[in-house]
Every structure is written in C-alpha cells, then in structure tokens.
Amino acid sequence: MKHRIVVLGAGYAGAYVAGTLARRLSPEGIEMTVVNAEPDFVQRLRLHQLAAGQEIEAPKLADVFAGTGIRLRLARVTAVDPERQVVAVADADGGGELGYDTLVYALGSHGDAHGVPGVAEHAFDVAARPSALRLRERLAGLGDGGRVVVVGDGLTGIETATEIAESRPGLSVALVARGELGARLSAGARGHLRQACERLGTAVWEHAEVEAVEAARVLCADGTVLASDATVWTAGFVVDPLATAAGLEVTENGRIVVDRTMRSVSHPNVYAVGDSAYAVGDNGRPLPMSCASAGYTGRQATDAIVGRLTGRTIANTKLEYLGNHISLGRRDGIVQMVDDEGQAKPKYMGGRKAARIKAGIVRMSLWATSHPTFGLPKRKHRLAAAPVASSAETAVA
C-alpha cells in the first residue's frame, strides 16, 4: 500500500512542498493529494495590486502540478481528525473524507476583524482573491473624489493605501495607523514612507484606534469620524480554527506548535508550514507570518518528510527573517533589513531600486511556485521499509 501524503492549501508554502515532494519521492511508494478551495494559484503578495485595478497572473494549479503525479482536489477543508487520520472536505459534489499517512497543513491565514463592530458587514479586505476582486469592483465604481479609508499600518495596509492612491489618483485615500506610521521601520525609512504618502496625497491618521465601521464612515475611539465610500480592513491576520478544533497543540492564536523540522509536537505525522506554523527561528524568536517564512518552513518540512520516509539524515535548513520589502506603488519602495532581535537596522534602501527589488522577489516567488520541480535532482528516492518516525533521528546543521 502506498504512503498517502495530503497537503492542505496550495499557497506559496503548500504548492512548494507538494511539488518538491513529488520530485524527490518515488511515485511507486507514495500518492499525493493537494486540497485547495480555488483552481488558481493566488499571488497573495500582489492582491493589493489586483484590488487597485491591475491585472495579476493566476496560473491554473492543474497546470502547475501537470506531470508531477499530484492529485488536485478542489474543495474546502471542513475538519481534520488526527486520531483517525482523515480530512473532511466539502465541494460541489458534497465532499467526503481523505485518509492520510502524512499531513502537511498549509492553510495560511485570513483577515482578523479583532471583534470591531461593522467590519464583517461593511469593510473590504485583500486577504484573499475573492475579497480583493470585490474591492476592485467597488473602487472601479467610485467617481473622482470617492473616499477610501485603509485601516491598519502594517505592511499590507501601507502597500494597499499607496497602491490605490497611485493607481486611482482621482480617489481620496486615508491611512489609519494605530500608532506612529511605520513604527517598526528605521528613522530614515519612516521619513521616506511619510514623504511617499505626501507625494501620493494619502492622508495619514496616527494614534487612532478604530472602534466601529459603518457603511459610509469609520469611527475612532477619540471621536474622529472619517467619511468613507470604501473601507479596507488590513489590521492583522489570523489562522483558521481548524487546527484548534482538531486537538493539535496550538498557540493562543491557533498556530500549530512545531519542532525544528516543522512537525507538530503533539501529532508526529502532521507538519505545518507557512502562516499556520508557530516555528522558532534561528534567532530564538517566532518566525512572523510572511512569504519568506513560508519558504523557509516549506523547505525544512520537505527535507524532514523525505528524510523520515526514506531513512536518510535530516538536515536543518535556515530559519531566519532578514527584513521587509515594501512596495509604495509601482515606482517606489522600501527595503528594511532587521537584526537578530527583529529590530530595524539604521540603514535602509528607498525609491525605484527598492521597488525593483520587491518586484523581482514577487516574480521569483511566482516562477518558483509555477515550476515546483525545477532544479531538483531527477533521481527519486524510494521509501524505506519502515519510515523513520521516532524523535531520535539524527539532525545535522
């Protein structure tokens, strides 16, 4: 009987892990299924561009996995039962259950309303392709002078506000920051960001806490009222509660606690990658939710799965977070590196060169996902007679 590998989610992390495993493991020993709700690969890094009206490539997952032997199941994951080793899914035909021997949990994250009244009913977001398309349609319907309020001054909020301001100059764009704008950036980068907002005509409301969102306005705790024809909520992300409901060991916010090889500390045949994983980096700090973290955790999980199934030594891949690459429209950007403590280094890069670097990273991420087996050894490893699963494997740096 073949070893069944099921990958939940085909974002940056899930698509990479699935494609790499398909190349490195012999099809005589495994059968692999990828479960994803949408038929396309979603460039989440560029959803703010999609919302602003730009055309963003969305490769068909069937094409991405063509020739790999991977089975693609277009369905929504509704439950995980690690004791029975099955996953429940729902699709147009009613759904069913998928059994697994190894599970890769890569369901990512989605927007977090933080319990603020009116967000679910009245706000838009760019956390997923359908919601970004709804915002795109809304913005296209606003005439000159239409008012857009972006809530949240994290990287997503900054990129969304500046992208909309540049792509749709007839709109009035405001960015609501809970603290100082760009507080986690260096002083120079903060100054560059502020200048970019001024150049684009983006109003910035700092130290403002939103307490409610209504159909045509945003209400702040200090009494400030901002008129809004389209409110975009980017104030944080949260993972799906499926892992918590399944009984996996998770953090308070639902991320799966994993060991150094991305294996669940409570259920050894479950691996978590990307935003779903609570992984501690080489600096002793948890890796943040990011595309970069998806790459690092995905590589480590892949090496661990291959090693355990084939009886090979498991290497420790790098788990690091080097910095942020922020787009400020298509012609400006910021590259901000961080130290081992996660604090911004004094030096930064801004302007067109930074924008080109960010664009290059995005293109590279798409290409790598669309060609998941490129550059990997052509020799596929056969499974060991008894896949290694104990906690006593030898790990090498």
Side-chain angles (χ1 to χ4, degrees), residues 108-127:
S109 60
H110 55 84
D112 186 2
H114 295 291
V116 176
V119 172
E121 297 83 359
H122 304 299
F124 298 86
D125 67 71
V126 293

Side-chain angles (χ1 to χ4, degrees), residues 258-263 272-274 277-288 290 292-304 315-323 339-340 397:
V258 297
D259 64 14
R260 184 57 176 74
T261 66
M262 301 302 115
R263 186 168 63 170
V273 294
Y278 179 82
V280 177
D282 295 337
N283 63 356
R285 296 176 176 273
L287 292 176
S290 70
S293 297
Y296 289 126
T297 57
R299 281 193 290 273
Q300 180 62 84
T302 301
D303 284 348
N316 281 349
T317 63
K318 290 182 179 180
L319 294 178
E320 56 187 355
Y321 193 76
L322 300 177
D339 59 23
D340 289 341

Side-chain angles (χ1 to χ4, degrees), residues 22-26 306 312 376-382:
R23 181 63 176 266
R24 293 178 63 181
L25 294 173
S26 170
V306 171
R312 285 171 166 76
L376 295 175
K378 292 184 178 181
R379 178 169 177 246
K380 296 188 178 184
H381 303 305
R382 295 181 180 274

Side-chain angles (χ1 to χ4, degrees), residues 284-341:
R285 296 176 176 273
L287 292 176
M289 294 182 179
S290 70
C291 180
S293 297
Y296 289 126
T297 57
R299 281 193 290 273
Q300 180 62 84
T302 301
D303 284 348
I305 293 171
V306 171
R308 291 190 174 107
L309 293 184
T310 63
R312 285 171 166 76
T313 301
I314 300 172
N316 281 349
T317 63
K318 290 182 179 180
L319 294 178
E320 56 187 355
Y321 193 76
L322 300 177
N324 298 311
H325 307 82
I326 311 166
S327 64
L328 305 174
R330 295 300 85 213
R331 297 181 295 275
D332 195 1
I334 293 173
V335 175
Q336 176 68 75
M337 308 307 286
V338 300
D339 59 23
D340 289 341
E341 300 298 318

